[in-house]
Amino acid sequence: MGWLTQIRHSLLAIIFFLMLCGFAQGESLEDKIFRLERIINAQQQQIDQQSKQIDALSQKIGGQAFVKPAPVETPDAAMAPSRTITSSNDKVKVELYGQLNRGALYVNDGDKSKLYQVDNDNSSTRLGLRGSLQPHADWTLGTRFEVEYQSNASNVVNREETSTSGDNFVDRHIDIFLQSDTFGKVSIGKGDTASNNTSEVDLSGTTVAAYSDIAAVAGGQLFYDKSTDTLSGTEIGDVFNNFDGLSRKSRLRYDTPIWRGFSAATSVVSGTGGDVALFYSGKTDQFKIAAAGAYSDPGSDSDTIDNSWDGSASVLFQNGVNATVAAGLRELKLSGRDDPTFFYAKLGYIAELLSAGKTAFSVDYSFNEDVDEEGDEADAVGLQLVQNIDAWATEFYLSYRFHSLDRSGTNFDDIHAMLSGLRVKF
């Protein structure tokens, strides 16, 4: 090695220098030779030891035995949770999801005011698990299990029942499905019927605060009758209804493949009920549109309802302006009774005012007729604001709505309701 030769030359120079120093001091020749031999032997031993270390290192590098030191683990990295949820069956992909939605509801019924701490029924607190696997390239087998838990649901509390307790777990989905892009989707178990959500299509970005289901917020509040100075037995939820199909039930459902934005679905409910629905979703450079319509027959599940027709449509323009409409008709089994109807409209705007996330504003109006009693006319007008906080996966919302009921022989006060809260998704 070249560097070993350089060391030896350096040692010879040192020895020559020491010899000169010794001669200059009058040291005897034998003493000089003895001392120099000791120095040379010591230096040679050091050179041999260094040579062995270098040879060993070279062999490790040549055999790729060199290992990069592991990075020092920071406390945050050590505590960071894994994003992977695994199944006992390695063929199945599992997803955990859920949300918490808590708010404060202030209500004035014309006689008294009350403040409630509630679970927002517009989009309730829930927890779910999805599972899926692909037994074939064109087929997906999936499962969905979802439960809801509400403490003081916003559609239930009122002056006489300021809090709700008991078993508030509700099974929303216990579902198995088989899906193919070519043949469509078959679902069995408890889940959405074909007509569920068909009167609730809404692209406003404010559905956590309000949508066509007026009774979801303050639905349990009782109208105050000024003519008798007493609370009536009539709730907001009795006179406002969006006739949204057959909800979630144990059913067998089939969805067609999507063709040019259109799809259809039908379901048979455990018992004698059933429904059919048509859906559309489209998008251009200027706007996005979604719509749905359905016919539903509850069968033996209802002694009063013969069938229902409902539908909704919503459009969202590129500039953030949006509009939503919904309507429905319910045919009753009672002879001589006018069939109830509902109409709903919303106008909204989605803006990017804050770096935290989009801000959505809307105003809505709903009119229900003959829902609880023949001749009833119920109106509701509302204002909504939703602020998205993207970094926190959270939405802050604020809504206000007044409800009025015109019924023959009564003099009901309007009910004013304000709701504010947070929805956190995970």
Side-chain angles (χ1 to χ4, degrees), residues 33 127 146 161 170 175 206 223 231 289 381:
I33 293 172
L127 180 67
E146 181 181 301
E161 190 174 9
V170 177
D175 209 6
T206 61
F223 284 93
L231 278 176
I289 188 170
V381 177

Side-chain angles (χ1 to χ4, degrees), residues 86-92 94:
T86 60
S87 167
S88 58
N89 187 334
D90 58 7
K91 297 179 181 179
V92 179
V94 179

Side-chain angles (χ1 to χ4, degrees), residues 164-362:
T164 59
S165 59
D167 186 4
N168 294 317
F169 274 105
V170 177
D171 52 333
R172 290 171 54 89
H173 294 273
I174 307 174
D175 209 6
I176 300 174
F177 66 85
L178 184 64
Q179 184 172 11
S180 165
D181 292 338
T182 305
F183 298 100
K185 179 180 178 181
V186 177
S187 306
I188 186 169
K190 182 170 183 179
D192 292 325
T193 58
S195 56
N196 193 34
N197 301 320
T198 51
S199 66
E200 298 173 355
V201 175
D202 192 326
L203 301 177
S204 67
T206 61
T207 56
V208 68
Y211 62 105
S212 66
D213 186 5
I214 304 300
V217 176
Q221 297 295 319
L222 298 165
F223 284 93
Y224 186 79
D225 192 342
K226 292 186 292 185
S227 60
T228 60
D229 288 329
T230 60
L231 278 176
S232 71
T234 302
E235 300 178 352
I236 288 176
D238 294 331
V239 297
F240 287 94
N241 195 308
N242 65 356
F243 310 152
D244 187 43
L246 300 180
S247 188
R248 289 176 299 275
K249 294 184 181 297
S250 294
R251 83 290 185 249
L252 177 65
R253 170 173 171 165
Y254 171 71
D255 290 73
T256 69
I258 299 173
W259 182 75
R260 295 188 178 182
F262 288 94
S263 65
T266 184
S267 57
V268 178
V269 176
S270 179
T272 60
D275 55 7
V276 292
L278 181 66
F279 306 91
Y280 176 75
S281 179
K283 187 177 181 181
T284 71
D285 293 338
Q286 299 300 320
F287 62 86
K288 178 181 180 181
I289 188 170
Y295 166 82
S296 58
D297 179 359
S300 59
D301 284 348
S302 176
D303 295 330
T304 58
I305 301 172
D306 188 10
N307 55 68
S308 297
W309 299 82
D310 71 86
S312 56
S314 189
V315 60
L316 171 62
F317 292 95
Q318 189 178 25
N319 60 6
V321 174
N322 56 83
T324 300
V325 293
L329 166 69
R330 176 164 285 174
E331 296 180 354
L332 302 179
K333 295 178 180 179
L334 306 175
S335 61
R337 170 80 151 79
D338 288 345
D339 293 328
T341 59
F342 97 93
F343 172 77
Y344 175 83
K346 177 190 279 188
L347 183 63
Y349 177 63
I350 301 175
E352 296 185 3
L353 303 178
L354 303 175
S355 59
K358 293 183 178 180
T359 307
F361 308 88
S362 61

Side-chain angles (χ1 to χ4, degrees), residues 5-41:
T5 304
Q6 292 179 1
I7 292 175
R8 290 189 178 98
H9 289 169
S10 299
L11 289 172
L12 292 173
I14 293 171
I15 292 169
F16 180 72
F17 174 75
L18 292 173
M19 289 176 64
L20 291 177
C21 293
F23 286 132
Q25 295 173 0
E27 188 177 12
S28 68
L29 181 59
E30 292 181 358
D31 293 338
K32 291 184 181 71
I33 293 172
F34 179 74
R35 183 163 52 83
L36 290 173
E37 285 179 351
R38 291 174 58 189
I39 294 174
I40 291 171
N41 290 335

